[in-house]
Amino acid sequence: MTLPPLYVLRHGETEWNRAGRLQGWQDSPLTETGRAHAARQGDILREVLSGEARWVASPLGRALHTARIAGAPDHLAQDARLREIDMGRWTGLSSAQIAAERPDLEGFARYEAIPEGETLAALTQRVAAFLAEQAGQTAPTVIITHGITSRVLRCLATGLPHEHYTQIGGGQGVVYRIEGRVQNLLS
């Protein structure tokens, strides 16, 4: 699958991020730091993009707010396949609360066992379908999404199995460029 150059952004920090709460498909507003993250992403994109680019974002408020601050055009496309993994019963809980409920799960392992939520396999399937539709496009595509979704998307776009999502890097206020299956961190 030949993809156009991809510029992948995670939304800026939110109130729930700051509090350590898992959002999934729910939303909380960007913090002042989150708005600064989005502005920095916009600065990065202005440095590296010349000409037309297609912009597409998760329909969740934190991603749309980030996109607008980062300079998305009025014709910003939204795609539900770019939403974050559904956290099911864990939506709104903190990592500490999940650890108390499931002490056997550490770090990213919790995303493999979300009660009444989405599986990583289901997330991977919807992200793969999104990427398949990008194949053959030539204009660069700016994608504004979420932490776990971004990691899975970048794994697939670089040819890695989605299980490598724990090692592909993350972060807010940065942009990942993927071109020719090679990922570069722009910060």
Side-chain angles (χ1 to χ4, degrees):
M1 167 171 56
T2 303
L3 294 169
L6 303 176
Y7 293 84
V8 183
L9 290 65
R10 178 184 178 196
H11 63 78
E13 179 190 69
T14 67
E15 295 291 341
W16 280 20
N17 290 149
R18 179 172 282 164
R21 295 174 65 193
L22 302 176
Q23 295 174 98
W25 292 359
Q26 295 300 309
D27 248 327
S28 72
L30 296 181
T31 62
E32 183 177 329
T33 299
R35 291 186 294 278
H37 286 147
R40 176 65 188 132
Q41 290 166 319
D43 291 343
I44 293 167
L45 291 171
R46 282 186 287 285
E47 290 174 16
V48 297
L49 286 176
S50 59
E52 284 293 311
R54 182 170 171 262
W55 289 64
V56 60
S58 157
L60 295 176
R62 59 194 186 269
L64 295 174
H65 194 186
T66 297
R68 294 291 181 218
I69 294 170
D74 291 338
H75 56 276
L76 171 67
Q78 296 179 37
D79 195 311
R81 294 172 295 186
L82 296 174
R83 288 181 301 183
E84 183 60 295
I85 191 168
D86 179 4
M87 294 304 300
R89 281 194 309 108
W90 288 348
T91 299
L93 297 182
S94 69
S95 296
Q97 290 170 307
I98 293 169
E101 181 180 324
R102 290 290 309 268
D104 57 312
L105 299 176
E106 292 186 28
F108 286 105
R110 67 181 170 215
Y111 296 107
E112 300 284 0
I114 302 167
E116 300 172 30
E118 188 172 21
T119 65
L120 279 170
L123 171 64
T124 299
Q125 213 171 24
R126 68 175 157 91
V127 169
F130 169 81
L131 285 174
E133 288 181 10
Q134 310 316 302
Q137 301 283 331
T138 56
T141 302
V142 178
I143 300 168
I144 305 89
T145 188
H146 307 272
I148 301 303
T149 304
S150 168
R151 288 169 181 263
V152 168
L153 184 147
R154 290 182 286 117
C155 281
L156 296 175
T158 58
L160 294 171
H162 76 269
E163 294 87 357
H164 284 81
Y165 78 101
T166 61
Q167 296 129 24
I168 199 158
Q172 292 167 309
V174 299
V175 176
Y176 287 95
R177 177 177 46 214
I178 300 169
E179 192 164 5
R181 294 201 174 265
V182 175
Q183 172 180 278
N184 288 295
L185 172 64
L186 309 177
S187 59

